[in-house]
C-alpha cells in the first residue's frame, strides 16, 4: 500500500500561513521589536508539572539527554537579560501526549517580550497585533478584559480564591459535571482547571477577543504576584470563540522567588509521577544577573489559523500533522 | 483484564464504566493553559445503548471491556431466548429479550446479523442494514396506482409494520432499511 503523502491541509491554508507569518514580521519590524532565534533542542526544559516533554536518547560520549523545548521562554529571557531590548520569535514548541482537535504535539508559537510593559500594556499590544492579522469581524466589538475571579464567578457562582470543596462540588453537579468530585478531590488547582475549561472557557471571546487576567496564584506560572493582592498573579490568557490562544505574564524577575517556584513544581512533578527534571540553572543565572522589567506572551499560531480559516480542527491547518508527519 | 490509559483512548475502544461495557464514540483533550489535562469522552453504554459524556483526568486508566462483535446466523426463538449460531465454528449463543430488543422485528430464520458479546454473552443484536421480508398483511391497493403516493401500512412476516406504496400486495417481498424502518423497494424476484 502506498502511504498517504499528501498534505492534510488545503493549499489555501499553506498560503494563509505564509501570509500570517509575513504580517507578524511586518508588525514587529514596524515596532522595532527584534526577531530572534533560540534552540529547539535544549539542555534544560520547563518544570511545569502538567507539560510533558520529548527528550533525546542514545547520544554519543554519554552526553546527557537533550529536550525538545516546550516553550522558548527561558532562552528568550536569557537574551533579554543580555540587553537585547524587546524581542520576538516564531518557533516550534513540543508537548508530548497533547494530541487532539486543538492539539498537535509539535506546534507553531509566536512569543514576544516588551520591555517596560505592564500587563495592561501587553494586552494593548495583543489587540494591536490581532487587528493586523485577524479578520475585521473580530473587532466589531471592543475586546473584553475581565479578571479571572469575576469571569469564574459569573459562570460558576463560585469564589475562585476561596476553596470550599462542598460548594465547588454542588456547583459542578448543578452544572452537569458530577464526576468533577472524583476527578478533582481536594485539589483546588485541579478544580479550577476543571471548572474553567469545562464551564467558563466556551463563553469567552464569542464576538471578539477576550482577555482574562489576574489568575489565582495557585495556578502555576512565571508571572509576578499582584502588588495589591498577592492571591492573584499578573497573568493573562487570550481567548477567541472559546479557544485558548495565548498565555502571557508581567514577568517575574525575582530570582529567589523563581527558584522557589521551580522547587515547588519539581516536587509536584514527583508527587504526580511526572518525569524528573532539574531547574534550568542558566536561566536562573540570567535572572540573578538581572532580567529587565518586561511583559511577554506566547500565542499558538496554528489555532490563530483555525480562527482565520474557520476550520474546527488543528489537522485542517497543518501540512503534516503528527499522524502523517 | 487489560486496561487502557486515557492517552490510548480512541473511537470504538471498549471500556468498563460503572460496571457496564461501553464503547468510545469521541475522545477530546481538554487542556487549560499549562494546567491539568482532562479527557472529555463520549461513550455508548453497550447494554442499553444510552450515550453519556464523562471527564477523566488525563493519564488515568480504565479497565478494558471484553467485547467482541461477531457475524452470526439467527436460528430460532424458543419463546424465551433467541438462538444464534456462528457460521464457521457452529458455536451457539442464546440472547434474551433485552439483548435482542428492537432487532427482533427484523429477524427471520437463517438471517445473518451482528451479535455483540460481552464476556462471551450476547448483550445486543444488530440486524443487517437492509432486509428482504414477505408481506403477510396489508389492505388491497387500488388497481393501476403505481405512484405509491400516500402509502399504507403493511405487516411483514416478522411482525414489523412498515409503510409501503399502495400497489404492493400481500405475498410480495419488500426491501426495508432497518436503521430507519422505511420501505426501500420491492425485492427483485
Amino acid at each position: 500500500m502506498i502511504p498517504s503523502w499528501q498534505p492534510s491541509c488545503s493549499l489555501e491554508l499553506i498560503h494563509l500561513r505564509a501570509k500570517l507569518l509575513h504580517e507578524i514580521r511586518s508588525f514587529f519590524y514596524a515596532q522595532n521589536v527584534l526577531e530572534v532565534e533560540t534552540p529547539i533542542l535544549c539542555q534544560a526544559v520547563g518544570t511545569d508539572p502538567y507539560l510533558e516533554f520529548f527528550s533525546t536518547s542514545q547520544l554519543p560520549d554519554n552526553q546527557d539527554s537533550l529536550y525538545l523545548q516546550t516553550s522558548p521562554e527561558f532562552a528568550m529571557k536569557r537574551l533579554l537579560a543580555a540587553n537585547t531590548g524587546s524581542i520576538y520569535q516564531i518557533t516550534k514548541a513540543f508537548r508530548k501526549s497533547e494530541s487532539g482537535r486543538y492539539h498537535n504535539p509539535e506546534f507553531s508559537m509566536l512569543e514576544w517580550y516588551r520591555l517596560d510593559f505592564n500587563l495592561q500594556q501587553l494586552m494593548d499590544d495583543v489587540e494591536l497585533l490581532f487587528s493586523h492579522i485577524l479578520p475585521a469581524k473580530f473587532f466589531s466589538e471592543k475586546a473584553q478584559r475581565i479578571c479571572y475571579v469575576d469571569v469564574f464567578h459569573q459562570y460558576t457562582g463560585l469564589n475562585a480564591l476561596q476553596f470550599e470543596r462542598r460548594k465547588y462540588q454542588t456547583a459542578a453537579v448543578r452544572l452537569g459535571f458530577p464526576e468533577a468530585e472524583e476527578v478533582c478531590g481536594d485539589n483546588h488547582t485541579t478544580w479550577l482547571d476543571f471548572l474553567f475549561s469545562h464551564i467558563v472557557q466556551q463563553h469567552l471571546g464569542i464576538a471578539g477577543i477576550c482577555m482574562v487576567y489576574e489568575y489565582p496564584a495557585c495556578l502555576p506560572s512565571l508571572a509576578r504576584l499582584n502588588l495589591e493582592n498577592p492571591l492573584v498573579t499578573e497573568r493573562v490568557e487570550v481567548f477567541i470563540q472559546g479557544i485558548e490562544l495565548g498565555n502571557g505574564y508581567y514577568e517575574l524577575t525575582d530570582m529567589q522567588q523563581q527558584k522557589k517556584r521551580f522547587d515547588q513544581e519539581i516536587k509536584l512533578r514527583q508527587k504526580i509521577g511526572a518525569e524528573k527534571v532539574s531547574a534550568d540553572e542558566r536561566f536562573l543565572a540570567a535572572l540573578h544577573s538581572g532580567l529587565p522589567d518586561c511583559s511577554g506572551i506566547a500565542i499558538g499560531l496554528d489555532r490563530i489559523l483555525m480562527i482565520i480559516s474557520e476550520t474546527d480542527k488543528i489537522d485542517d491547518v497543518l501540512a503534516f500533522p503528527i499522524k502523517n508527519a | 483484564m487489560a486496561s487502557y490509559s486515557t492517552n490510548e483512548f480512541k473511537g470504538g475502544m471498549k471500556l468498563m464504566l460503572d460496571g457496564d461495557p461501553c464503547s468510545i464514540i469521541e475522545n477530546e483533550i481538554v487542556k487549560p493553559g499549562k494546567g491539568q489535562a482532562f479527557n472529555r469522552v463520549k461513550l455508548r453504554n453497550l447494554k442499553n445503548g444510552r450515550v453519556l459524556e464523562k471527564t477523566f483526568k488525563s493519564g488515568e486508566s480504565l479497565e478494558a471491556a471484553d467485547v467482541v462483535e461477531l457475524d452470526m446466523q439467527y436460528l430460532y426463538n424458543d419463546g424465551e431466548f433467541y438462538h444464534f449460531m456462528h457460521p464457521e465454528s457452529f458455536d451457539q449463543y442464546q440472547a434474551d429479550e433485552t439483548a435482542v430488543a428492537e432487532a427482533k422485528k427484523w429477524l427471520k430464520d437463517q438471517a445473518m446479523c451482528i451479535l455483540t458479546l460481552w464476556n462471551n454473552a450476547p448483550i445486543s443484536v444488530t440486524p443487517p442494514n437492509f432486509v428482504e421480508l414477505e408481506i403477510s398483511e396489508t389492505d388491497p391497493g387500488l388497481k393501476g396506482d403505481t405512484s405509491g403516493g400516500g402509502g399504507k401500512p403493511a405487516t411483514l412476516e416478522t411482525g414489523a409494520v412498515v409503510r409501503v406504496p399502495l400497489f404492493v400486495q400481500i405475498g410480495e417481498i419488500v426491501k426495508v432499511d432497518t436503521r430507519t424502518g422505511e420501505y426501500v423497494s420491492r425485492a427483485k424476484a
Side-chain angles (χ1 to χ4, degrees):
Chain A
M1 198 182 79
I2 301 169
S4 117
W5 59 268
Q6 295 95 336
S8 160
C9 70
S10 66
L11 279 180
E12 188 199 347
L13 250 309
I14 291 171
H15 282 267
L16 274 179
R17 181 179 291 266
K19 181 168 169 270
L20 173 67
L21 296 180
H22 175 73
E23 286 164 349
I24 293 170
R25 291 198 160 98
S26 310
F27 173 82
F28 285 114
Y29 183 79
Q31 306 247 357
N32 253 326
V33 178
L34 186 69
E35 178 164 14
V36 297
E37 261 187 24
T38 57
I40 281 175
L41 207 50
C42 303
Q43 297 196 21
V45 70
T47 51
D48 306 70
Y50 298 109
L51 292 190
E52 284 186 61
F53 47 77
F54 293 96
S55 54
T56 60
S57 56
Q58 297 168 330
L59 288 173
D61 308 328
N62 295 321
Q63 278 181 60
D64 289 336
S65 290
L66 296 171
Y67 305 96
L68 286 177
Q69 62 177 357
T70 53
S71 135
E73 183 155 6
F74 297 163
M76 289 183 80
K77 285 181 177 168
R78 282 164 64 190
L79 288 178
L80 291 165
N83 295 318
T84 52
S86 296
I87 51 175
Y88 80 98
Q89 171 163 219
I90 295 169
T91 187
K92 289 291 188 80
F94 301 82
R95 292 175 188 179
K96 206 159 118 181
S97 357
E98 294 188 15
S99 202
R101 202 168 139 201
Y102 299 105
H103 297 86
N104 193 58
E106 170 178 348
F107 60 102
S108 292
M109 191 184 249
L110 162 66
E111 181 149 329
W112 80 91
Y113 293 87
R114 291 287 219 156
L115 258 49
D116 301 319
F117 271 32
N118 62 26
L119 203 66
Q120 292 296 328
Q121 288 169 303
L122 182 70
M123 288 191 245
D124 294 340
D125 212 28
V126 170
E127 268 188 60
L128 193 62
L129 169 71
F130 278 19
S131 71
H132 281 73
I133 61 177
L134 290 179
K137 69 170 182 184
F138 293 110
F139 303 92
S140 56
E141 277 179 37
K142 203 175 168 307
Q144 190 192 12
R145 294 184 190 185
I146 185 162
C147 72
Y148 188 102
V149 170
D150 288 349
V151 79
F152 192 80
H153 183 264
Q154 184 181 342
Y155 293 107
T156 64
L158 296 168
N159 181 347
L161 300 181
Q162 202 176 352
F163 179 50
E164 290 169 83
R165 184 165 168 180
R166 190 178 281 174
K167 275 192 187 169
Y168 275 47
Q169 185 189 346
T170 309
V173 170
R174 175 171 53 81
L175 293 159
F177 297 92
E179 70 270 40
E181 165 66 15
E182 196 191 326
V183 172
C184 309
D186 60 0
N187 188 325
H188 185 197
T189 310
T190 308
W191 270 105
L192 292 179
D193 281 339
F194 188 108
L195 296 173
F196 194 88
S197 61
H198 285 70
I199 295 159
V200 181
Q201 195 177 320
Q202 59 187 306
H203 301 286
L204 305 178
I206 295 310
I209 304 164
C210 173
M211 289 184 273
V212 178
Y213 62 95
E214 288 182 358
Y215 272 63
C218 64
L219 297 172
S221 79
L222 285 80
R224 64 176 73 191
L225 295 176
N226 186 289
L227 278 179
E228 281 140 40
N229 181 3
L231 291 177
V232 298
T233 57
E234 296 282 349
R235 170 181 173 190
V236 61
E237 289 243 354
V238 185
F239 301 89
I240 293 182
Q241 292 172 344
I243 301 175
E244 183 202 9
L245 294 172
N247 178 43
Y249 308 129
Y250 187 15
E251 303 294 345
L252 178 65
T253 51
D254 181 332
M255 186 260 198
Q256 289 308 328
Q257 213 177 338
Q258 184 62 64
K259 208 170 145 64
K260 220 159 84 190
R261 285 197 205 170
F262 276 159
D263 290 344
Q264 283 168 354
E265 291 190 342
I266 287 166
K267 271 199 203 111
L268 181 54
R269 286 189 74 93
Q270 205 175 354
K271 195 176 141 200
I272 61 177
E275 207 172 322
K276 202 178 156 204
V277 289
S278 343
D280 185 342
E281 294 297 338
R282 289 186 176 84
F283 168 58
L284 287 173
L287 277 188
H288 182 69
S289 139
L291 179 68
D293 207 47
C294 65
S295 287
I297 188 162
I299 301 281
L301 293 182
D302 306 306
R303 292 188 188 167
I304 292 278
L305 276 167
M306 287 174 68
I307 303 262
I308 293 175
S309 61
E310 296 178 7
T311 46
D312 65 358
K313 51 182 195 297
I314 199 163
D315 287 6
D316 291 342
V317 304
L318 298 171
F320 302 116
I322 193 79
K323 65 171 187 278
N324 66 347
Chain B
M1 193 71 209
S3 65
Y4 293 117
S5 153
T6 56
N7 299 327
E8 303 169 276
F9 280 11
K10 57 172 190 256
M13 192 174 266
K14 312 288 194 294
L15 302 166
M16 291 303 296
L17 189 64
D18 303 327
D20 279 353
C22 292
S23 168
I24 295 180
I25 302 172
E26 252 174 48
N27 167 41
E28 185 76 61
I29 293 191
V30 178
K31 182 136 187 359
K34 294 183 165 185
Q36 167 75 50
F38 306 99
N39 288 60
R40 181 83 183 147
V41 187
K42 198 189 252 187
L43 304 127
R44 185 186 312 281
N45 181 316
L46 294 172
K47 279 174 81 178
N48 58 29
R50 281 197 201 104
V51 172
L52 64 150
E53 282 193 66
K54 195 171 173 180
T55 295
F56 301 90
K57 203 188 264 188
S58 292
E60 220 179 289
S61 287
L62 253 69
E63 193 191 329
D66 179 9
V67 170
V68 286
E69 289 173 343
L70 295 173
D71 286 324
M72 298 263 183
Q73 191 173 35
Y74 171 58
L75 298 177
Y76 63 94
N77 171 14
D78 65 12
E80 190 183 0
F81 291 105
Y82 293 76
H83 295 260
F84 297 84
M85 183 179 71
H86 192 275
E88 278 152 30
S89 68
F90 306 112
D91 287 342
Q92 292 198 18
Y93 295 88
Q94 55 177 32
D96 62 15
E97 191 82 23
T98 324
V100 179
E102 284 294 287
K104 71 176 174 208
K105 64 182 188 185
W106 307 114
L107 289 182
K108 186 182 160 183
D109 296 358
Q110 318 301 322
M112 294 303 293
C113 52
I114 300 165
L115 216 62
T116 304
L117 303 179
W118 172 42
N119 297 335
N120 216 31
I123 49 167
S124 77
V125 177
T126 313
N129 290 344
F130 297 100
V131 291
E132 294 187 354
L133 296 168
E134 187 180 328
I135 293 181
S136 56
E137 209 184 306
T138 189
D139 286 340
L142 297 169
K143 218 175 177 186
D145 183 345
T146 54
S147 72
K152 60 182 179 181
T155 307
L156 307 179
E157 57 183 310
T158 54
V161 178
V162 294
R163 281 199 84 75
V164 299
L166 296 176
F167 58 81
V168 179
Q169 305 298 339
I170 292 176
E172 284 193 274
I173 296 179
V174 292
K175 186 175 172 182
V176 181
D177 188 330
T178 59
R179 294 161 296 185
T180 59
E182 281 169 11
Y183 165 90
V184 178
S185 65
R186 279 196 280 192
K188 288 175 192 89

